Amino acid sequence: MSQNKIKQQVEDKILESYESMYRIAFTYVKNADDAMDVVQDSAYKAIKYAASVKKEQYIETWIYKIVINCAIDFIKKNQKEILTDIPEELERPAAPENEQDFDTIGALDILNEKERAIIILRFFEEKKLEEIARILNINLSTVKSMLYRSLKKLKVELKKEVFNYEG
Amino acid sequence: MRDNRINEIKQDYDAIAVPKNLEERVKQGISRAKEKAQKKFYQQPVFWAKFGSCAVAAMAALTLITNFNAPIAQAMEKIPFLGSIVRVVSYRTYEENNDNMNAKISVPEIEAKNTSGEKNSTASKELNDKIKQYTDKIMEQYRADVKATEGEGKEDVLTDYKVVTDNSRLFSIKIETSISAGSSDTFYKIYHLDKTTGKIISLDDIFQKGSGYCNVITKEIKRQMREQMAEDNQKMYSIDDTDMPENNWQGITKDANFYMNEQGSLTFLFDKYEAAPGYMGTPEFTIPQETIQNIINPEYFVGN
């Protein structure tokens, strides 16, 4: 596939799925501004390195991989700042647009970054376990055991369907 | 039939409101990446054709030397010493403004004199021409951007210069360009004039031929990057990423930007995004003398 063609396809896919990208980013960074930064940065990287997508069928995998990596990078680099920023954060009036009750999403915080990605991709973005394995660069059995572990942490009662569900 | 708890979270997840300007931001990111790909061509030094790898470059240089050894040696003898007087005597600023697009490009004019005080116009002209060619490319790219967006884009291009090395052997001048169009980008090109020969030199010249200096320096810089990341978790460099190895910094090439700092130590200057995320800016790495002392051409390593 020519580089320009793949670039165009990556661009189309981004424009088709930026809302999903945003929700994934938001689940990690938890505010609109930062989530938008992460999505913009992901779009930039996805196009810039589009040449490394070898097969058309992996374009979506590639975009999800980038957005998750960017979101995780973002929170890692802001860990310190977030801690010291708390007083200022309290003073700042919340923008009406961002007023939303995310207590339940906050429940995902007990999971580590990869586990969180697995829950988001499996249940919210309804990806197959094989796709998740490819997105996170881990093998299928690791995905399964991490999914099991994550659900346990979330105190979700396990049902067999969880593993058989094919989306 | 998924669990209720998960369903509850999914409802909130689906309810995450997508901001109105997200689409615009995504498009900015996309066009920025495309612009950057286009711009690659003028970030390359104009004069040196890119050989691709250090090894090939070193081989090419070796071949040249063996083939033309005698004439080179003769030519070298004839070149008068420049002495220490190389300076920026004036500069011109080229400015262009459209609605939200501006370019301001300062081009220095350098004058080299021999020890006798007599102007060395060959050396000056070669350097000035090279800088002008490079800055012209930047202006051309700006004009192409104006044309492509029919003047409706947003872009600020600022090019300036700074003398970064001026010791008894080398005069190095850095051309710095920052472009802001949505997000910002900064890149450099450093030109070096060998004061004793009047020749423009590159990284290849300050190392012994076939010394594999690119690998040695790359290894040292990666070591420093890892050390910095271990000490400070806010620092991040694009190395050792196993998830996206294609994003990793590929190492020093013979076209890398370098200068000699005041202590006479070799220092490498990185463009923004070259080896780190944007918030890291334009990092610099100084190579300890003991790391490279066996492979350098020592005459270039002098303090100010």
Side-chain angles (χ1 to χ4, degrees):
Chain A
M1 218 182 323
S2 85
Q3 277 210 20
N4 281 337
K5 195 178 163 205
I6 195 109
K7 216 168 242 191
Q8 188 54 50
Q9 283 171 327
V10 172
E11 180 174 346
D12 293 346
K13 195 76 199 170
I14 293 171
L15 293 173
E16 197 178 292
S17 42
Y18 63 79
E19 296 196 345
S20 287
M21 293 166 73
Y22 177 80
R23 293 200 173 95
I24 294 172
F26 189 96
T27 308
Y28 280 97
V29 302
K30 299 191 180 61
N31 74 74
D33 285 344
D34 292 342
M36 276 203 286
D37 281 349
V38 168
V39 175
Q40 184 174 2
D41 195 29
S42 306
Y44 171 82
K45 283 186 181 151
I47 298 287
K48 186 174 175 197
Y49 300 108
S52 42
V53 187
K54 296 285 176 275
K55 285 187 189 148
E56 200 178 326
Q57 78 221 61
Y58 294 147
I59 290 176
E60 193 182 66
T61 309
W62 161 252
I63 292 169
Y64 278 96
K65 181 189 274 194
I66 291 178
V67 77
I68 289 168
N69 281 333
C70 282
I72 293 174
D73 276 358
F74 183 92
I75 51 175
K76 271 189 189 152
K77 98 175 199 240
N78 284 287
Q79 252 155 11
K80 270 188 187 166
E81 289 164 36
I82 289 167
L83 285 178
T84 52
D85 266 353
I86 286 168
E88 201 197 324
E89 201 69 42
L90 290 173
E91 284 166 29
R92 202 185 297 161
E97 195 182 32
N98 306 342
E99 255 177 51
Q100 221 169 332
D101 179 18
F102 291 115
D103 277 3
T104 54
I105 290 180
L108 298 177
D109 288 357
I110 57 163
L111 304 177
N112 72 30
E113 289 137 358
K114 276 224 165 118
E115 292 167 344
R116 224 181 297 172
I118 289 177
I119 295 291
I120 295 170
L121 293 169
R122 185 70 192 93
F123 298 111
F124 309 159
E125 296 295 335
E126 303 183 345
K127 298 293 168 216
K128 292 180 184 167
L129 296 177
E130 290 79 9
E131 286 177 87
I132 299 175
R134 222 176 293 120
I135 292 169
L136 299 175
N137 260 6
I138 47 183
N139 65 42
L140 192 58
S141 60
T142 313
V143 175
K144 284 180 184 164
S145 63
M146 283 175 80
L147 182 62
Y148 178 83
R149 193 171 68 213
S150 312
L151 289 170
K152 213 170 171 186
K153 277 198 197 170
L154 289 170
K155 297 199 181 67
V156 165
E157 199 187 318
L158 273 170
K159 290 191 174 140
K160 230 184 158 193
E161 288 88 335
V162 161
F163 292 103
N164 295 334
Y165 183 72
E166 284 297 315
Chain B
M1 268 180 292
R2 271 166 279 152
D3 187 83
N4 280 341
R5 184 78 187 276
I6 290 288
N7 268 337
E8 246 173 63
I9 307 177
K10 179 166 168 41
Q11 275 172 17
D12 273 2
Y13 180 88
D14 290 337
I16 294 172
V18 175
K20 284 187 211 78
N21 55 336
L22 180 65
E23 185 178 356
E24 190 194 323
R25 293 282 304 272
V26 167
K27 286 180 174 164
Q28 274 175 14
I30 292 171
S31 55
R32 185 87 206 101
K34 286 180 172 170
E35 255 171 49
K36 189 135 171 107
Q38 273 174 12
K39 269 170 189 150
K40 277 258 160 81
F41 81 91
Y42 75 73
Q43 288 181 34
Q44 304 299 345
V46 183
F47 182 76
W48 290 98
K50 192 131 180 126
F51 280 93
S53 83
C54 232
V56 178
M59 272 167 56
L62 262 176
T63 321
L64 274 177
I65 296 271
T66 39
N67 288 351
F68 300 108
N69 204 11
I72 284 179
Q74 277 172 18
M76 297 280 267
E77 277 166 25
K78 284 180 194 156
I79 296 167
F81 275 35
L82 289 177
S84 57
I85 320 154
V86 180
R87 60 195 182 107
V88 177
V89 283
S90 71
Y91 66 92
R92 277 174 204 209
T93 302
Y94 299 86
E95 222 172 327
E96 283 191 18
N97 302 295
N98 295 283
D99 285 346
N100 283 315
M101 302 182 84
N102 306 287
K104 189 178 175 188
I105 296 175
S106 298
V107 184
E109 195 189 327
I110 289 125
E111 187 184 271
K113 283 181 178 169
N114 298 336
T115 30
S116 54
E118 165 198 348
K119 280 184 196 167
N120 184 322
S121 48
T122 323
S124 326
K125 190 172 181 302
E126 200 189 342
L127 184 56
N128 287 328
D129 286 353
K130 210 153 268 191
I131 293 173
K132 187 70 175 47
Q133 269 175 23
Y134 176 76
T135 51
D136 280 352
K137 291 260 179 199
I138 294 171
M139 187 56 105
E140 268 170 37
Q141 179 63 41
Y142 167 77
R143 287 180 184 143
D145 288 352
V146 172
K147 210 174 160 193
T149 58
E150 294 173 332
E152 313 250 298
K154 275 188 184 169
E155 183 173 281
D156 279 304
V157 178
L158 190 68
T159 297
D160 211 344
Y161 63 88
K162 193 184 175 196
V163 177
V164 284
T165 305
D166 187 12
N167 59 32
S168 55
R169 180 79 190 208
L170 277 183
F171 174 87
S172 307
I173 187 159
K174 173 178 84 175
I175 312 296
E176 171 174 343
T177 303
S178 45
I179 296 182
S180 50
S183 59
S184 74
D185 190 11
T186 305
F187 53 88
Y188 304 98
K189 175 75 189 134
I190 303 180
Y191 292 95
H192 311 272
L193 186 69
D194 183 338
K195 290 179 179 180
T196 61
T197 63
K199 291 284 167 203
I200 291 172
I201 64 143
S202 71
L203 198 51
D204 266 356
D205 299 299
I206 68 168
F207 283 95
Q208 293 164 24
K209 302 295 171 203
S211 62
Y213 66 87
C214 289
N215 290 335
V216 177
I217 296 167
T218 301
K219 210 173 137 196
E220 168 60 20
I221 291 180
K222 282 189 176 170
R223 186 195 66 75
Q224 292 187 26
M225 286 173 169
R226 288 187 192 108
E227 190 178 84
Q228 287 183 25
M229 288 193 283
E231 278 170 10
D232 181 348
N233 69 14
Q234 298 211 29
K235 294 208 167 170
M236 206 176 284
Y237 292 102
S238 318
I239 52 167
D240 306 331
D241 185 345
T242 48
D243 285 347
M244 291 209 281
E246 60 277 13
N247 282 4
N248 283 343
W249 174 58
Q250 297 301 312
I252 286 292
T253 67
K254 71 185 194 69
D255 299 313
N257 279 318
F258 70 95
Y259 64 95
M260 299 292 175
N261 71 9
E262 289 184 4
Q263 287 72 44
S265 298
L266 181 62
T267 304
F268 286 88
L269 175 57
F270 283 62
D271 293 346
K272 196 172 175 184
Y273 307 113
E274 185 178 349
Y279 74 93
M280 290 289 293
T282 57
E284 293 194 16
F285 296 91
T286 297
I287 309 301
Q289 199 69 11
E290 57 271 22
T291 312
I292 46 172
Q293 62 191 354
N294 294 326
I295 55 173
I296 55 169
N297 285 329
E299 66 268 26
Y300 287 110
F301 289 77
V302 289
N304 276 358

